[in-house]
Amino acid sequence: MSDATLHAHAMDPDSFAVQIADSIESFIVATTEVAKGDEPDSAVPFLLLEVSQLLLAGGRLGAHVDIVPDERYEPDAGPDDDVDELRMRFAVMLDPVDVFSEVFDPYEPRRAPVPCRISDNLADMVADLRHGLAHYKAGRTTEALWWWQFSYFSNWGPTASATLRALQSLVSHVRLDQPLAELDGLDTDEDLAEDALAEEAGRVMAAEILGPLGMRTVK
């Protein structure tokens, strides 16, 4: 059944919630496993796959009619889990390519790109998704769906989209045997304009990251 029919409430809400919750929990579990670093040779391709699959769930939430929570105020879901360890693990694992440039709103004219980190994005996405999952596991299904839909539009959706673009670009550079432009010295606490980003660009050969990140160039 197409998600377009959700606008007519044709799909059982409970079934929809189970599918979304399964997708989100699968992403959290898989991403947490990747962060352990047991299989660094497949980290980037695996993250590319996981973020792609998560965005499918996000697209379904985005196509759904607005979900209205049962209560006026959000029930207490308890303390959010700390994601700093997850963030640091990814920062170390992805160190050569962690920082990338992104335009937050493609419809805002002349918006300069800003530096972002894949590690920050992944940790922030997991934090958002875990918050909704806490509601879901407590039996507050509508609240969970509302949170996931709201935060898809406001935070984790744009963050996941930017992360997917960075991962896809990274894999493409390596598979197509194209050197990467290095943003050496660029950091996320800087507010650099487009010209400054261009000045930061250097040259890094893809061979430097093939082994640690588990990718191969085309023959």
Side-chain angles (χ1 to χ4, degrees):
M1 180 182 295
S2 169
D3 277 353
T5 60
L6 290 172
H7 291 279
H9 297 280
M11 178 178 281
D12 179 0
D14 290 335
S15 176
F16 178 72
V18 168
Q19 293 171 23
I20 296 297
D22 285 349
S23 297
I24 285 173
E25 188 164 21
S26 176
F27 173 81
I28 294 172
V29 170
T31 304
T32 303
E33 285 299 311
V34 174
K36 292 179 181 179
D38 294 337
E39 298 183 19
D41 289 350
S42 60
V44 167
F46 198 79
L47 288 172
L48 176 65
L49 175 61
E50 290 301 321
V51 176
S52 298
Q53 291 177 333
L54 175 65
L55 280 170
L56 174 59
R60 298 184 66 194
L61 286 164
H64 200 290
V65 293
D66 288 345
I67 299 167
V68 180
D70 295 328
E71 302 179 30
R72 182 176 180 182
Y73 299 103
E74 181 184 4
D76 185 7
D80 291 331
D81 292 337
D82 189 0
V83 294
D84 284 345
E85 182 179 356
L86 186 74
R87 189 189 316 274
M88 291 305 300
R89 285 179 177 273
F90 276 124
V92 172
M93 182 185 302
L94 301 172
D95 180 55
V97 291
D98 195 21
V99 179
F100 67 99
S101 60
E102 172 65 11
V103 176
F104 284 129
D105 188 348
Y107 285 99
E108 185 174 345
R110 301 185 182 280
R111 180 71 173 178
V114 296
C116 303
R117 289 184 178 273
I118 297 175
S119 56
D120 287 343
N121 286 4
L122 291 170
D124 290 348
M125 290 155 56
V126 168
D128 269 351
L129 298 171
R130 280 178 177 171
H131 185 83
L133 196 60
H135 284 306
Y136 182 78
K137 289 185 174 181
R140 297 185 291 269
T141 301
T142 304
E143 189 72 35
L145 288 174
W146 170 82
W147 171 260
W148 284 326
Q149 186 185 60
F150 167 76
S151 56
Y152 167 74
F153 288 123
S154 63
N155 192 38
W156 73 261
T159 300
S161 297
T163 305
L164 178 65
R165 183 72 185 95
L167 293 168
Q168 191 273 337
S169 179
L170 175 59
V171 173
S172 296
H173 273 289
V174 176
R175 296 285 171 82
L176 298 177
D177 200 15
Q178 297 174 342
L180 289 168
E182 181 184 21
L183 299 179
D184 188 22
L186 179 66
D187 207 344
T188 52
D189 59 358
E190 301 177 37
D191 185 13
L192 299 181
E194 188 172 359
D195 290 344
L197 284 173
E199 291 175 4
E200 290 286 347
R203 304 295 287 175
V204 164
M205 295 305 295
E208 295 182 7
I209 60 171
L210 294 185
L213 299 183
M215 294 175 286
R216 302 290 182 268
T217 57
V218 290
K219 300 295 185 182

